């Protein structure tokens, strides 16, 4: 994609942008939002599941900001699914979020992943987006803590 000029400014396509460049965009939006919403009190959420040899076999990756917990990724190796570990990760994340003043959680998942898992934990679907790939749907869910 060719650079585009707008007066003295240039729009460039940069798939390998530096972390400093990405941080500048994030910091700019955060500063703007903070003026309206107050401090976002950002905190990363990282929960890992390790096997006895220390290998990561699952985890939950998310973010705490304003009064929300966002679950970006929940993954468990196929060998340890169905043992209640995913539920334990979610409960742990929710309890920590609530203890730090967060009041809501949101997550998204594809139809072949875990929408029923989240609904069994009390999440409600508030949106859908698709098609993905060969007709799959992405569900957006939320929960009040």
């Amino acid at each position: 994609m060719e650079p585009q000029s707008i007066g003295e400014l240039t729009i460039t396509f940069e798939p390998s942008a530096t972390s400093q460049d990405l941080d500048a965009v994030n910091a700019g939006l955060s500063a703007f939002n903070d003026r309206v919403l107050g401090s976002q009190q950002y905190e990363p959420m990282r929960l890992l599941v390790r096997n006895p040899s220390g290998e990561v076999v699952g985890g939950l990756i998310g973010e705490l900001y304003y009064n929300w917990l966002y679950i970006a990724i929940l993954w468990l190796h196929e060998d340890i699914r169905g043992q209640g570990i995913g539920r334990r990760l979610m409960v742990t994340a929710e309890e920590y979020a609530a203890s730090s003043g967060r009041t809501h959680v949101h997550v998204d998942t594809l139809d072949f992943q875990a929408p029923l898992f989240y609904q069994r934990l009390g999440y409600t679907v508030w949106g859908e987006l698709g098609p993905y790939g060969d007709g799959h749907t992405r569900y957006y869910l939320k929960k009040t803590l």
Side-chain angles (χ1 to χ4, degrees), residues 31-102:
F32 176 78
N33 290 346
D34 287 353
R35 286 194 301 269
V36 175
L37 299 172
S39 173
Q40 66 176 303
Q41 301 173 342
Y42 175 83
E43 182 181 346
M45 169 64 70
R46 311 289 189 256
L47 300 173
L48 299 177
V49 180
R50 296 181 183 272
N51 67 15
S53 65
E55 178 186 6
V56 174
V57 293
L60 182 150
I61 300 171
E63 302 173 323
L64 298 148
Y65 59 97
Y66 302 111
N67 55 322
W68 286 87
L69 165 61
Y70 167 57
I71 307 293
I73 297 173
L74 174 61
W75 169 78
L76 296 173
H77 189 278
E78 292 176 18
D79 295 344
I80 63 169
R81 293 180 186 166
Q83 300 176 32
I85 299 167
R87 180 180 185 80
R88 171 81 58 80
L89 284 169
M90 290 298 295
V91 168
T92 300
E94 291 172 2
E95 287 175 349
Y96 181 83
S99 74
S100 64
R102 276 45 181 220

Side-chain angles (χ1 to χ4, degrees), residues 90-116:
M90 290 298 295
V91 168
T92 300
E94 291 172 2
E95 287 175 349
Y96 181 83
S99 74
S100 64
R102 276 45 181 220
T103 55
H104 298 82
V105 185
H106 69 104
V107 64
D108 61 87
T109 188
L110 292 164
D111 57 8
F112 61 88
Q113 293 175 327
L116 295 176

Side-chain angles (χ1 to χ4, degrees), residues 5-20:
S5 294
I6 303 173
E8 295 180 3
L9 304 176
T10 305
I11 298 173
T12 55
F13 180 68
E14 299 186 37
S16 299
T18 67
S19 60
Q20 293 88 349

